Amino acid sequence: MSSREDNESNFIESSESLFEVAQQAVVLPVHEEEDSNLLRKLDQTTNGLIEDLKRSGEFAGKKGEVINLFTPRGLKSKRLILVGLGKKNEVDPGVLRENLEIAFRKIKKRLNQGIACYCGPEIGLNGVAPLECAIESAIAAVYDPGHYKTTKTNHKNGSKLVLLTSGASSRKSAISRAIILGEANQVARRFAFEPGNKLNPMEFSNQAREVAEKADLKCEVLHQDKLESLGMEALVAVAQGSKNSARMLVLHHESSDPRAPVLLVGKGVTFDSGGISLKPAPSMEEMKGDKAGASAVLGAMTAISRLKIDRNVKAVIPLVENLPGGGAQRPGDVVRSYSSKTIEIINTDAEGRLILADSISWAKERFKPDCIVDIATLTGACMVALGRVRAGYFANSEELSQKLEAAALKSGEKLWRLPLDPEYREDLLSDIADIKNLGGRWGGAVTAAKFLQEFVEDTPWCHIDMAGKDFFPKGNDLVGATGFGAMLLTCLAEELV
Ligand code: BES
Ligand code: ZN
Ligand code: ZN
């Protein structure tokens, strides 16, 4: 998997107006039902073009609308691209990023020849947020999820962006921060979207190691026999149905901060067939995305390191493939987890919690973390509860919960808190072991979280269930993995400094 490094010199801040700037294109985000001074001026300059577009219903500023106007009158750039953002009071960094990416993709051929993007206050986001979003989107727009097609598009990759901040000059560090965040999102997207045969646990750990070391992270890879001898029976049980053996990737970001580290854990099931509790065929191919949590943690760690965040951060990424081979675990099996708690396996498709449980117990013992954040495509039930707009999260600590909420607002990746009442724990009682890996019919996202809590114990902890946020929904203007979580976890690390 090729990765690319974006050069800071490709992103230039300018106080030019969108009338003065002379580029291949100038991109202007527009709100629905909103008239700004800038838009009125643009209407005058272009001889009423904006009003015409609105009246004819050609462009109303709705989300997802993009219109490309060639050689607009009164502008020095070759094209004026209007991008709909929807209602102004509903704009957040996520909305801005997504719609800018849609627009940038439409003019991808021009992206490396230089385009300008309006990043001023009219967008309705504070400070450097529009500039950061524009850079992140331009980086995202270059990603081509069709890289296994044999007929390649032959235009040059890369993006050159002039950021029109209308004189409200931002810190130069905003540009480099945005590049780092955009590239972290890229890492997450690329890893999450790779096919299961291309990125099995071994390949994931090899390629992740390369990416991590390039970002100056210290890196360890534990092989399955090591995990077995350490006593991670729950994790290894999941891997046993596949010829591709398990790995555990451990990443270290070191700073001079004396506090105990923050621990990040990401679910890395490189393909989830369900195992003996086999999943139905429709959409099973999407289960290559069951490594999206792992991919998010990897992406975040590269950013945390490159931003030199002043906090020690450890990442533990368990990697397994869940297949129904001859060595596979069966429903009814009992395994002894690393914590020495015994688990009755009811459903082999509830595998994520098994690998996370052992990872959490082991990392707790080894790193004695100050707090733990795990992220996983854990339950279809979470998708049933929240749809594909927000990821669910659970927290046993108000303080950590608040930091995570703050990070989510900053990164524009939406979360919704779900409960952890003790009553839900009763669904996990087993007749023959300490706990079983499947709850009852209801509240599946919660019982999965309760299962994890059993291994977290009292350490401050958040669990993010990002099932449904791994890929853009079918029929969306954007395709492939979203990279959800990479920027969020980076912002969280910043909150924890
Ligand atoms: N990887 C799946 C969860 C999932 C579903 C992720 C849809 C992304 C999209 C997970 O391992 C799983 O299979 N969960 C089961 C749990 C059940 C057996 C308790 C589920 O959600 O059905
Ligand atoms: Zn599963
Ligand atoms: Zn899974």
Side-chain angles (χ1 to χ4, degrees):
M1 217 185 313
S2 65
S3 77
R4 105 197 133 66
E5 291 280 302
D6 286 272
N7 201 317
E8 254 173 70
S9 62
N10 286 338
F11 298 95
I12 300 159
E13 202 183 328
S14 164
S15 57
E16 287 169 299
S17 75
L18 66 102
F19 306 96
E20 294 163 326
V21 70
Q23 293 290 330
Q24 289 293 323
V26 55
V27 174
L28 176 65
V30 177
H31 302 108
E32 193 179 344
E33 292 166 14
E34 183 91 23
D35 236 354
S36 65
N37 288 337
L38 184 61
L39 224 49
R40 272 191 290 274
K41 190 168 170 210
L42 186 63
D43 190 54
Q44 282 164 14
T45 316
T46 56
N47 234 356
L49 183 60
I50 304 298
E51 276 307 309
D52 276 352
L53 285 169
K54 280 190 182 162
R55 225 176 300 115
S56 64
E58 209 79 1
F59 180 87
K62 290 197 170 65
K63 278 181 202 165
E65 280 183 350
V66 177
I67 194 158
N68 186 344
L69 304 160
F70 199 64
T71 58
R73 196 189 167 111
L75 265 67
K76 293 198 180 126
S77 289
K78 284 205 186 118
R79 298 162 188 84
L80 169 64
I81 294 167
L82 303 178
V83 189
L85 289 186
K87 304 249 163 59
K88 189 165 183 178
N89 60 352
E90 293 172 8
V91 171
D92 64 32
V95 169
L96 179 58
R97 240 189 256 120
E98 190 160 325
N99 289 287
L100 282 179
E101 183 178 347
I102 293 170
F104 290 154
R105 279 188 182 278
K106 294 221 163 115
I107 46 160
K108 207 165 160 181
K109 269 190 268 183
R110 308 285 163 208
L111 206 47
N112 78 316
Q113 299 169 359
I115 66 170
C117 183
Y118 175 79
C119 299
E122 304 273 11
I123 290 177
L125 293 180
N126 289 336
V128 293
L131 169 134
E132 291 194 328
C133 288
I135 294 171
E136 289 151 9
S137 309
I139 291 171
V142 172
Y143 161 63
D144 175 13
H147 59 279
Y148 287 111
K149 289 179 196 277
T150 48
T151 44
K152 298 259 189 300
T153 45
N154 58 0
H155 54 87
K156 275 210 208 117
N157 256 350
S159 29
K160 279 208 180 78
L161 210 56
V162 177
L163 305 142
L164 308 177
T165 47
S166 45
S169 167
S170 57
R171 291 161 286 121
K172 175 149 186 302
S173 63
I175 293 180
S176 50
R177 181 177 181 274
I179 293 174
I180 289 169
L181 283 169
E183 285 177 354
N185 173 266
Q186 271 306 288
V187 167
R189 286 192 189 198
R190 285 167 202 260
F191 276 78
F193 207 58
E194 275 296 292
N197 66 332
K198 301 291 178 197
L199 221 52
N200 58 35
M202 178 184 76
E203 269 305 315
F204 190 115
S205 63
N206 286 344
Q207 296 190 30
R209 177 173 217 147
E210 257 180 57
V211 169
E213 282 174 354
K214 234 176 120 188
D216 269 336
L217 288 156
K218 272 204 212 147
C219 202
E220 290 169 73
V221 178
L222 312 189
H223 290 226
Q224 182 163 322
D225 45 5
K226 178 72 182 169
L227 302 173
E228 213 169 326
S229 67
L230 282 168
M232 296 195 208
E233 216 177 275
L235 185 156
V236 172
V238 178
Q240 274 170 348
S242 171
K243 285 198 281 187
N244 297 313
S245 57
R247 296 286 186 280
M248 172 115 82
L249 182 64
V250 185
L251 305 173
H252 308 259
H253 165 69
E254 279 154 13
S255 82
S256 58
D257 182 79
R259 283 171 294 176
V262 173
L263 171 66
L264 304 180
V265 183
K267 173 180 175 183
V269 177
T270 59
F271 185 75
D272 181 13
S273 72
I276 296 296
S277 315
L278 194 64
K279 286 181 182 294
S283 303
M284 205 210 270
E285 73 282 0
E286 289 179 11
M287 282 302 125
K288 69 177 185 178
D290 216 18
K291 50 184 162 25
S295 307
V297 169
L298 174 66
M301 287 301 284
T302 63
I304 288 167
S305 175
R306 292 174 69 191
L307 290 168
K308 301 195 166 55
I309 289 178
D310 197 19
R311 186 77 207 248
N312 294 313
V313 185
K314 306 287 180 188
V316 170
I317 300 178
L319 295 159
V320 300
E321 185 173 46
N322 189 19
L323 288 187
Q329 65 173 338
R330 330 148 183 70
D333 283 1
V334 173
V335 296
R336 178 183 291 275
S337 67
Y338 184 82
S339 73
S340 79
K341 286 187 175 130
T342 54
I343 304 167
E344 182 186 9
I345 308 299
I346 303 295
N347 189 314
T348 64
D349 197 11
E351 83 297 340
R353 62 197 75 181
L354 298 173
I355 67 169
L356 292 173
D358 274 354
S359 304
I360 288 168
S361 309
W362 176 76
K364 255 186 67 150
E365 183 185 290
R366 178 162 170 206
F367 299 123
K368 311 214 163 25
D370 205 35
C371 62
I372 303 174
V373 180
D374 79 80
I375 182 164
T377 45
L378 204 63
T379 67
C382 194
M383 278 173 85
V384 172
L386 298 176
R388 307 197 63 176
V389 177
R390 286 178 187 262
Y393 86 93
F394 301 81
N396 67 356
S397 147
E398 295 313 305
E399 197 187 330
L400 190 56
S401 162
Q402 278 170 22
K403 301 241 151 113
L404 185 62
E405 296 266 357
L409 277 181
K410 245 183 159 183
S411 87
E413 291 164 285
K414 290 187 184 174
L415 297 176
W416 196 259
R417 188 167 176 183
L418 296 170
L420 282 170
D421 301 87
E423 292 89 330
Y424 290 106
R425 166 76 174 74
E426 290 159 23
D427 281 6
L428 295 171
L429 295 175
S430 161
D431 291 334
I432 63 167
D434 295 329
I435 192 171
K436 57 184 186 178
N437 81 330
L438 187 71
R441 176 139 162 56
W442 312 112
V446 189
T447 47
K450 290 304 285 182
F451 183 94
L452 297 179
Q453 191 176 22
E454 203 65 20
F455 300 87
V456 167
E457 300 180 299
D458 294 328
T459 308
W461 160 70
C462 282
H463 156 59
I464 302 169
D465 191 336
M466 62 166 289
K469 294 302 296 177
D470 47 355
F471 297 161
F472 290 108
K474 291 234 161 73
N476 196 295
D477 286 305
L478 302 175
V479 284
T482 61
F484 182 94
M487 298 198 276
L488 173 66
L489 294 174
T490 309
C491 291
L492 176 63
E494 287 176 330
E495 295 292 322
L496 290 168
V497 166

